[in-house]
Amino acid sequence: MSRSEKVSFEGSTGELLSGILDRPDGPVKGWGVFSHGFTLGKDHPSASRMCKALADNGVGMLRFDNVGLGESAGLWSEGSFSHKVADTVRAAEFMRAEGRSVSLLVGHSFGGAAVLAAAREIPELDAVATVGAPFSPKHVAHVFDAALDRILSEGSAEVDLGGKRVEIRRHFVEDLENADLTDCIKSLHKPLMVLHSPTDNTVGIENASTIFQTARHPRSFVSLEGSDHLLTGKGQAARAALIISAWADQYLDAGR
C-alpha cells in the first residue's frame, strides 16, 4: 500500500499551494505530477484514486490544489489556464528540489490540456498521459456559456459549476482564447498516452482523436470503455492508473 504525505510549495502567483505526495511503500520506479480537472482539486476521487493506484504500482505522485481551490491559498478567480500550466511546472520544480525528478505527467480533463502545455518546461520528463482531455483548453468555456456575454461586458460573473459558485473573470476567458496546444503536442518529443472514454458526455471522444493525430510517435491511445468523464464509477480511476503504469514502465528509467 502507498503512503500519503502533505506537502506545500509556492505557486506561480506567489501563493502557497497545498499538495499530497502519494509514495510507494516499496521500490520507486519513478516520480510524477498529477494535474486535476477544472475545479476538481487534489482530493477529488479521480485524482486521489489514480495517484494512489499509481503509487501502489511504484510510481510516486504529487497531486495539488490549484490556486484558490481546496487547501491552497489565493483566489481561484485570479488564476487562468496559463497559471495552471505554470503551477504544474512549479510542482515539478518542487519535486526536483526534493531530489525526486519528475518522470511522468498525468492530467485529467482540463488538467490533461495543462500537462500537454507544461511538458516542454520540464526537461527531465520521460512520458505524458492524458485522461479525458480536451484538445483545446477553451472547450471548458461551454460550462459557463450562458454567462459568457456578461463576463466579457462586465468583467466577471458568478456561475454555478456542479453546485459550486465560482467567479469567472474576463482575463480567464481571454487566456483560454489564446491557448493553442497544437505546437505543444507536435513538439512534445516524449512518449504520449491518450486515454478517453468513447461515451464521455463532457469532453467528446473526438478530442482524443485530434490530440492523437496531432502527436508524433511514440504515441498510444486507450479507450476507457464504460467509464464516465469524472471516473467516479467503481474501479474506473484505478483501471486508468494501472494502464498508465504498465505503459510508463518502459520509459520511467530512460536516460537514468
Side-chain angles (χ1 to χ4, degrees), residues 13-161:
T13 58
E15 302 286 1
L16 202 61
L17 302 183
S18 174
I20 288 178
L21 188 62
D22 293 302
R23 305 169 54 145
D25 241 359
V28 179
K29 298 176 186 175
W31 297 97
V33 167
F34 183 92
S35 182
H36 63 68
F38 192 32
T39 59
L40 301 182
K42 71 181 184 319
D43 298 315
H44 188 272
S46 58
S48 62
R49 291 172 186 169
M50 284 184 72
C51 289
K52 285 175 180 175
L54 279 161
D56 286 343
N57 283 276
V59 185
M61 295 294 296
L62 170 63
R63 50 188 160 106
F64 66 98
D65 290 320
N66 282 123
V67 64
L69 292 175
E71 298 172 292
S72 286
L75 295 173
W76 185 85
S77 58
E78 291 181 356
S80 65
F81 178 70
S82 293
H83 287 119
K84 187 171 178 66
V85 173
D87 287 342
T88 304
V89 176
R90 284 293 184 102
E93 289 171 353
F94 164 76
M95 292 288 279
R96 188 187 306 136
E98 294 284 306
R100 302 183 179 110
S101 289
V102 169
S103 301
L104 176 69
L105 286 184
V106 180
H108 172 233
S109 192
F110 195 52
V115 298
L116 289 170
R120 59 171 73 180
E121 305 293 331
I122 305 169
E124 68 269 32
L125 191 65
D126 289 326
V128 179
T130 65
V131 185
F135 172 70
S136 172
K138 67 181 178 185
H139 178 281
V140 78
H142 79 276
V143 301
F144 51 83
D145 236 0
L148 198 52
D149 288 344
R150 193 149 49 92
I151 294 167
L152 294 174
S153 62
E154 298 176 17
S156 72
E158 269 209 353
V159 299
D160 188 310
L161 297 179

Side-chain angles (χ1 to χ4, degrees), residues 168-183:
I168 294 177
R169 299 183 184 178
R170 185 192 288 123
H171 77 89
F172 183 90
V173 176
E174 291 171 345
D175 186 68
L176 287 178
E177 284 294 328
N178 293 325
D180 186 347
L181 297 181
T182 307
D183 284 345

